[in-house]
């Protein structure tokens, strides 16, 4: 830090010119405080130059509700690249109160999630220049937030001081008054796509599916869910309120439910839930019956080849900077006439054991973390054993067979770099991450069902 030193002699000379009897002087500080000094007791005074705060921004929020807000940023210098968002006060405290840590942590997450994208690509996708506005939705009600903007350099590092502005979302409505609109689409022999729309987007609620013939009644159902949540909380050393926050939903959701029995009647149900896991109001239900037919003839086939990432790096060190020591796999998907939709994923490890990794949970993992209806897909993997997982569904939403193709990546199996032709694809969309949160379908499933979670953690992007 640069400093400027002023000898007391200069002060004494000024004092002598103005008043022979002056024995003290005042120092007026930036904060408004005044310090008195006696001349005879001071050898010199050191004044610190003000810290360079870097580029500054004007922040404004509007349209504040219990679950949404509009954020607007106007930089003083339109040439500065910056990142802006809002973060809960609790999240910021978990990052030691550092906005830079929050942003750089997010950039690190994106690098790991999209290894084929360079830092330049990522920054181009998420940084702003000039005035910017964003409508942020799905915020928790009655929560303190910090709205911020901070400059980011070409290396993905924050610099200068962030400009911040505090706001709080409005309190949520009365859960007891919340109503629910329940519907479904894509009915199959073993499930459907469930759609829940609460009248109040701020209210936390529980939803589930239960066999019609086994429905115990509204009060008994709510009590059973409460006891399961309490038991789970105790087993994990968590409070009931923490579990409720992790397993309930807010606002509209669509949830793909599967694993049901064919030609069987079920209830989809939803109700507002208090922090102690009790029902806050009425339970809303919708009855449906699964289809009588089973598997579909919908199917896809896959052809693939892979290249040594070191060869790609040597060919273009800038473009393939993240490929050293890795594998670059190209795949082409061909659907049959019955396939209306399909999903493909590459999982690290051997997932050919149907007992350990049942079709239901494996398909769910592929749908959640794989690629949907892509005819060409590139994967970046390690030199190890992986499993290609893929299946198709017909126009009615009925699934076909799940394929599990074991791929053992070895250097001797890599295609010659002379045959490399890069598949042209738009980069994966990188969206602003506000408050990462998982949504689950029951206490056990919502807190990460083992089969599904084990596969989902290994999916290669």
């Amino acid at each position: 830090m640069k400093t400027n030193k002023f000898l007391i002699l200069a002060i004494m000379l000024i004092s002598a010119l103005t008043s022979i009897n002056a024995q003290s002087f005042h120092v007026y500080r930036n904060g408004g405080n005044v310090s008195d000094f006696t001349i005879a007791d001071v050898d010199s005074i050191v004044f610190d130059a003000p810290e360079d705060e870097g580029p500054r921004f004007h922040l404004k929020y509007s349209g504040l509700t219990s679950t949404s807000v509009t954020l607007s940023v106007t930089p003083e210098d339109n040439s500065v690249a910056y990142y802006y968002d809002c973060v809960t006060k609790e999240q910021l405290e978990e990052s030691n109160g550092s906005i830079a840590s929050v942003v750089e942590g997010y950039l690190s997450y994106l690098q790991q999630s999209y290894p084929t994208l360079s830092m330049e690509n990522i920054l181009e996708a998420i940084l702003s220049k000039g005035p910017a506005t964003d409508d942020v939705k799905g915020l928790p009600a009655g929560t303190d937030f910090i709205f911020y903007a901070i400059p980011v350099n070409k290396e993905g590092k924050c610099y200068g001081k962030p400009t911040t502005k505090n706001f709080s979302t409005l309190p949520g409505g009365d859960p007891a008054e919340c109503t629910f609109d329940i519907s479904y689409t894509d009915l199959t022999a073993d499930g459907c796509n469930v759609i829940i729309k609460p009248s109040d987007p701020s209210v936390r609620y529980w939803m589930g599916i239960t066999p019609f013939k086994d429905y115990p009644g509204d009060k008994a159902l709510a009590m059973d869910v409460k006891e399961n949540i309490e038991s789970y909380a105790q087993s994990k050393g968590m409070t009931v309120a923490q579990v409720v926050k992790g397993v309930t939903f807010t606002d509209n959701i669509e949830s793909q439910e599967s694993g049901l029995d064919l030609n069987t009647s079920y209830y989809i149900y939803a109700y507002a839930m208090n922090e102690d896991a009790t029902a806050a109001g009425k339970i809303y239900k919708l009855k449906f019956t699964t289809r009588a037919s089973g598997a579909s003839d919908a199917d896809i086939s896959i052809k693939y080849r892979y290249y040594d990432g070191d060869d790609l790096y040597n060919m273009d060190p800038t473009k393939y900077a993240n490929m050293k020591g890795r594998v670059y796999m190209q795949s082409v998907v061909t659907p049959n006439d019955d396939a209306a939709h399909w999903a493909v994923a590459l999982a690290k490890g051997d997932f050919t054991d149907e007992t350990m990794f049942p079709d239901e949970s494996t398909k769910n993992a592929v749908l959640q973390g794989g690629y949907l209806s892509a005819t060409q897909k590139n994967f970046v993997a390690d030199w190890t054993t992986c499993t290609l997982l893929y299946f198709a569904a017909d126009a009615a939403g009925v699934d076909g067979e799940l394929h599990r193709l074991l791929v053992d990546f070895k250097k001797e199996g890599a295609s010659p770099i002379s045959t490399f032709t890069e598949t042209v694809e738009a980069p994966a969309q990188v969206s602003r991450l506000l408050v990462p949160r998982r949504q689950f379908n029951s206490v056990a499933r919502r807190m990460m069902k083992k089969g599904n979670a084990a596969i989902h953690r290994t999916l290669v992007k």
Side-chain angles (χ1 to χ4, degrees), residues 4 26 33 38 57 86 123 140 145 161 166 277 288 293 322 367 379-380 386 388 403-404 410 418 448 455:
N4 296 317
H26 304 296
N33 296 325
T38 300
F57 308 87
C86 60
L123 295 179
F145 280 88
K161 280 189 175 182
N166 294 353
F288 73 98
S293 60
N322 297 326
L367 287 171
F379 297 95
V380 178
C386 294
L388 262 175
H403 298 279
R404 307 162 185 259
K410 294 183 178 179
S418 59
M448 295 305 282
I455 302 165

Side-chain angles (χ1 to χ4, degrees), residues 124-296:
E124 183 179 358
I126 71 168
L127 297 188
S128 302
K129 281 187 178 181
T133 300
D134 190 19
D135 295 323
V136 183
K137 300 180 180 180
L139 305 179
T143 303
D144 295 329
F145 280 88
I146 293 87
F147 171 23
Y148 65 86
I150 189 169
V152 181
N153 64 24
K154 294 181 179 180
E155 287 72 44
K157 298 298 182 182
C158 299
Y159 64 95
K161 280 189 175 182
T163 303
T164 62
K165 197 178 194 69
N166 294 353
F167 70 89
S168 298
T169 48
L170 303 181
D174 184 353
E177 297 179 358
C178 186
T179 61
F180 295 88
D181 178 19
I182 303 174
S183 60
Y184 62 87
T185 60
D186 301 330
L187 183 66
T188 68
D190 72 340
C192 61
N193 181 50
V194 175
I195 303 170
I196 310 287
K197 296 181 178 180
S199 61
D200 185 339
S202 69
V203 168
R204 290 197 169 275
Y205 64 93
W206 175 276
M207 62 77 60
I209 295 180
T210 188
F212 173 75
K213 65 181 179 64
D214 297 330
Y215 193 73
D218 292 357
K219 289 185 178 180
L221 175 74
M223 183 60 69
D224 184 54
V225 172
K226 179 178 182 293
E227 291 175 353
N228 283 330
I229 288 178
E230 290 173 338
S231 176
Y232 185 90
Q234 185 176 10
S235 69
K236 298 298 182 181
M238 302 171 66
T239 66
V240 170
Q242 286 174 325
V243 176
V244 168
K245 186 176 181 180
V247 299
T248 51
F249 302 89
T250 58
D251 212 342
N252 301 343
I253 63 165
E254 290 193 28
S255 176
Q256 188 67 44
E257 301 292 331
S258 60
L260 308 181
D261 295 329
L262 58 82
N263 196 30
T264 302
S265 296
Y266 289 87
Y267 268 141
I268 305 170
Y269 65 91
Y271 62 92
M273 181 175 280
N274 296 316
E275 287 189 351
D276 63 357
T278 57
K282 175 184 173 182
I283 293 180
Y284 292 79
K285 305 184 293 292
L286 177 66
K287 184 181 176 182
F288 73 98
T289 302
T290 54
R291 292 165 53 100
S293 60
S296 169

